[in-house]
Amino acid sequence: MTDKFISIEGIARRYPGAGGGETTIFEDLWLSMKRGEFGCVIGHSGCGKTTVLNILAGLDQPSEGAVIVDGQAIEGTSLDRAVIFQSHALLPWRTVLGNVAYAVTSKWRNWDRARVKAHAQKFIDLVGLTGSEHKRPSELSGGMKQRVGIARALSITPKIMLMDEPFSALDALTRGTLQDEVRRICLETGQTAFMITHDVDEAIYLADKIFLMTNGPGAVLAEIVENPLPKDRGRIDLHRHPLYYAVRNHIVDFLVSRSKTFAATVTDHDPRNVPVVRPGKPELVVAAEAEDSIEASWPSVARPSTSA
Amino acid sequence: MTSSLRFRAAVVSIVLLAAFLGIWHLATRSTGAVGNMSPEYAKLMGLTATQGKSAMPGPLDVGAKLWEHLRQPFYDNGPNDKGLGIQLGYSIARVGFGYLLAVIVAIPLGFLIGMSPLISRALDPFIQVLKPISPLAWMPLALYTIKDSSISAIFVIFICSVWPMLLNTAFGVAAVRKEWINVARTLEVGTVRRAFTVILPAAAPTILTGMRISIGIAWLVIVAAEMLVGGTGIGYFVWNEWNNLSITNVIIAILMIGIVGMLLDQILARFTRMVTFPE
C-alpha cells in the first residue's frame, strides 16, 4: 500500500437525469499515484475530469466508491489537499499578501501576525511576485493572479496540489512561464500534484503519468501513459527529444479517435487494471506509419521525392 | 476636461437656481396699493389685501425666516414652539432608532435566508405578504399594542426599513460566488469564520445598497408618521405650521427635510464605496 499515496477506488458519479433515470458521468474509476508524482488527466469536455478533481478535493462526493489519500479515506475538504482553481478564485477585497495570509492563518490559527506575514511572503517570493504584495487582484494581470493562486495553494504546504486547468485562461507566453514555475516548484519540493488539462504539450511537459479518459457520459479511464521523457526535460528542447512525438501522437490519436470508439471496440477493459502504456523507442516506426497513412488518405500530398 | 465639465455644470446649476428664485420673487411680490379701504380693514387683512401681495411667501420672506431659524435652531418655548434643530433632532433620533433596530434584525435574518434554501422558501410567503404593506397601515396596531406614540413611530420606521435590507442581504449572501466559498471550504474555514471573512465582504456592497434604500424610505416615512402621532419632529412641525397657516415655515421645513434626506443618503453612499471592491 505504501506506493499508493493517492488511491481512487471505484468511484462513480451519477446525476438524476430527465424522466427519473440517472445519467452516469463515469463509474468504476480506479486510479492511483505515488508520492511525489505529477499526474495529468486528459479527456474531452464532459468526461468528468473536473468532477474527479472536485471529489479528490472534497468539494464533491462520489456516488459510489472512495478516495484514499496517505492511507486514509478522505471526508470532505482538507488543508492537506490544496486546489488551484481555473478562475484563480482570489478574494478581490484582499491584497496579494492578504489572500496568501488568509490561507496561512487558516492552517496555523495560532500564529501571530508577523509569522503569518513572513510565511506568506516566502511563497509570494517563490512565485516571483515580490513587490506586488500590496496590490489587489484587480490590479494584476491574469498570469499574476494565477501566480497568487499558486502561492496560496503552496503556502499551506499541502500533501497534494490539485489543479483544474489552471493555465487555460492565460495567453501562450504566460502559460509557458507558469508551467516552468510549477514544474520547478514541484521538482524542488517533491510535491505530489494532480492536474486536469486540455493541452497535450502541457501534460507531456509536466506529468509523470498521463491519465486518458474516454468521452462521457459513461466515461472510463482508458489507459495510463507513462511519460518516457527524462526528468530533467526542458521546455526549449522538449519537442526535439526522440520520444516526444511518439508520446504526443499516441495521446492525440487517443483524443481524436479512440476516446470516442473506446467503449465499442474494447470489450475486455478492466477498470481495476488499466493498461499502462509507455510509448517507447520505435518513434521511427510511428513516423513511417504516419507517412504511410498520410499518403493513403491524401494521395496528392505525396512527398516530392516519391512523386518525381 | 472633467473639472471644466464640473465647472460648467455648477454654472448651469446656479443659473437655474437664480432663475427659479427670480420667477418666484416676481410671482409673489407686492403689486402696490389696491383700492381704498378703511385703515382698520386694511390692518386686519394685512399686505395681501392692501399691497396686492400673494398669499404665497416670496424667497425673501423665506430667506429672512430661515435666517431666524438658523440663528436659533434649538429654542424651546413649550410644546408648540420649538426650534427647527430640535424638531429635526427628534425625527433623526426616531429614524436612527428604528433603522438601527431594522439593521439588527434584517442583516442576521437576511444571512440566514441567504444561506439556507429551506428558511428562504419557508419565510418567502410571509415576506411577500408583509413587504407591500404601507408602513402607516401598521400605525393603529402599533398605537394600540405599544400605547406610546413615540415608540409607535419608531416601530413604523423599523417595519418600513427592514424589507429592503432583508431582501438585499439575502440576495447578496445567496449570490456570493461559488468559487470563493470553495476557497474557504478547501482551507477548512469554519462556518462562522467563513461568514465573516468571505460571505460578509463579498455581500457587503449589496447589503449596503439595501441599507441605502432603507434609510431613504425611513426618512420619507418619518414625516408622515410624525404628522399622525404629533408632539414633536419635523413631520409634526410641518403639520403644525400648516395649522398656523405659516406657509413660510412649511417651505423651510420642506427644504430641511430634503437636505437632511440628502445627507443621510450621502453617508450611506460613502459607506457603500468603502466596502465596494473592484474585480
Side-chain angles (χ1 to χ4, degrees), chain A residues 79-82 107 153-161 191-192:
Chain A
L79 283 157
D80 289 339
R81 284 165 274 129
K107 172 129 188 179
L154 287 169
S155 70
I156 56 171
T157 56
K159 287 180 181 168
I160 309 169
M161 214 156 61
Q191 184 73 54
T192 312

Side-chain angles (χ1 to χ4, degrees), chain A residues 208-223:
Chain A
D208 303 313
K209 273 185 185 171
I210 300 160
F211 304 99
L212 303 180
M213 284 183 77
T214 62
N215 290 5
V220 294
L221 177 59
E223 62 181 50

Side-chain angles (χ1 to χ4, degrees), chain B residues 15 24 62 98-99 107 138 174 182 240 251 256:
Chain B
V15 167
W24 182 13
V62 173
Y99 184 77
I107 290 179
W138 291 99
N182 279 347
N240 197 31
I251 292 172
M256 282 299 155

Side-chain angles (χ1 to χ4, degrees), chain B residues 181-220:
Chain B
I181 305 280
N182 279 347
V183 167
R185 284 178 65 197
T186 56
L187 293 174
E188 288 189 63
V189 174
T191 318
V192 176
R193 186 159 178 257
R194 194 195 305 172
F196 280 102
T197 57
V198 177
I199 297 171
L200 188 62
T206 322
I207 296 173
L208 260 293
T209 306
M211 291 174 69
R212 195 174 164 191
I213 298 170
S214 281
I215 198 81
I217 293 177
W219 190 245
L220 289 180

Side-chain angles (χ1 to χ4, degrees), chain A residues 77 79 87 90 102 106 109, chain B residues 179-180 185-186 188 193 197:
Chain A
T77 56
L79 283 157
S87 54
L90 301 179
Y102 185 63
S106 300
R109 271 160 219 195
Chain B
E179 55 185 55
W180 296 336
R185 284 178 65 197
T186 56
E188 288 189 63
R193 186 159 178 257
T197 57

Side-chain angles (χ1 to χ4, degrees), chain A residues 268-291:
Chain A
D268 59 342
H269 183 64
D270 176 8
R272 293 196 67 159
N273 285 305
V274 176
V276 177
V277 182
R278 192 182 164 89
K281 257 293 168 233
E283 85 278 0
L284 295 171
V285 178
V286 173
E289 268 175 10
E291 258 172 41

Side-chain angles (χ1 to χ4, degrees), chain A residues 55-305:
Chain A
I55 289 172
L56 254 176
L59 293 168
D60 202 346
Q61 279 82 42
S63 310
E64 287 164 20
V67 178
I68 293 164
V69 172
D70 204 10
Q72 273 200 320
I74 64 164
E75 217 168 285
T77 56
S78 159
L79 283 157
D80 289 339
R81 284 165 274 129
V83 184
I84 297 175
F85 297 87
Q86 183 179 6
S87 54
H88 60 76
L90 301 179
L91 305 178
W93 55 88
R94 283 173 176 266
T95 60
V96 169
L97 186 65
N99 268 285
V100 180
Y102 185 63
V104 177
T105 45
S106 300
K107 172 129 188 179
W108 296 282
R109 271 160 219 195
N110 48 0
W111 278 16
D112 59 55
R113 207 173 270 261
R115 195 164 175 202
V116 167
K117 188 166 180 261
H119 187 84
Q121 186 67 48
K122 199 168 85 191
F123 287 90
I124 291 169
D125 296 343
L126 184 71
V127 296
L129 280 179
T130 317
S132 303
E133 298 85 356
H134 300 293
K135 287 188 179 152
R136 300 207 177 248
S138 58
E139 300 169 76
L140 302 176
S141 67
M144 288 165 90
K145 283 181 198 164
Q146 200 51 283
R147 279 169 193 267
V148 182
I150 295 168
R152 178 172 65 186
L154 287 169
S155 70
I156 56 171
T157 56
K159 287 180 181 168
I160 309 169
M161 214 156 61
L162 301 167
M163 295 176 260
D164 185 3
E165 299 186 36
F167 310 133
S168 62
L170 306 175
D171 64 275
L173 214 60
T174 316
R175 193 186 311 154
T177 343
L178 280 184
Q179 285 166 359
D180 290 343
E181 300 268 344
V182 164
R183 180 157 175 79
R184 175 178 64 81
I185 291 164
C186 284
L187 285 179
E188 276 174 12
T189 58
Q191 184 73 54
T192 312
F194 185 83
M195 178 165 161
I196 284 169
T197 182
H198 272 127
D199 185 339
V200 176
D201 288 320
E202 183 171 274
I204 297 172
Y205 178 48
L206 293 175
D208 303 313
K209 273 185 185 171
I210 300 160
F211 304 99
L212 303 180
M213 284 183 77
T214 62
N215 290 5
V220 294
L221 177 59
E223 62 181 50
I224 299 165
V225 176
E226 269 191 13
N227 195 340
L229 301 185
K231 266 275 186 198
D232 63 347
R233 56 187 174 264
R235 160 173 311 287
I236 302 156
D237 53 358
L238 185 70
H239 59 284
R240 294 192 209 283
H241 192 275
L243 291 176
Y244 173 76
Y245 279 102
V247 184
R248 192 174 199 283
N249 290 345
H250 184 83
I251 298 171
V252 171
D253 282 345
F254 176 84
L255 286 178
V256 171
S257 52
R258 287 205 296 133
S259 62
K260 280 193 277 288
T261 58
F262 187 84
T265 51
V266 182
T267 47
D268 59 342
H269 183 64
D270 176 8
R272 293 196 67 159
N273 285 305
V274 176
V276 177
V277 182
R278 192 182 164 89
K281 257 293 168 233
E283 85 278 0
L284 295 171
V285 178
V286 173
E289 268 175 10
E291 258 172 41
D292 283 348
S293 61
I294 284 173
E295 279 177 41
S297 50
W298 302 94
S300 57
V301 215
R303 300 199 319 183
S305 58

Side-chain angles (χ1 to χ4, degrees), chain B residues 143-162:
Chain B
L143 286 170
Y144 178 73
T145 45
I146 301 171
K147 295 186 174 65
D148 181 302
S149 62
S150 200
I151 298 177
S152 297
I154 291 171
F155 170 76
V156 167
I157 295 305
F158 162 79
I159 205 85
C160 77
S161 46
V162 86

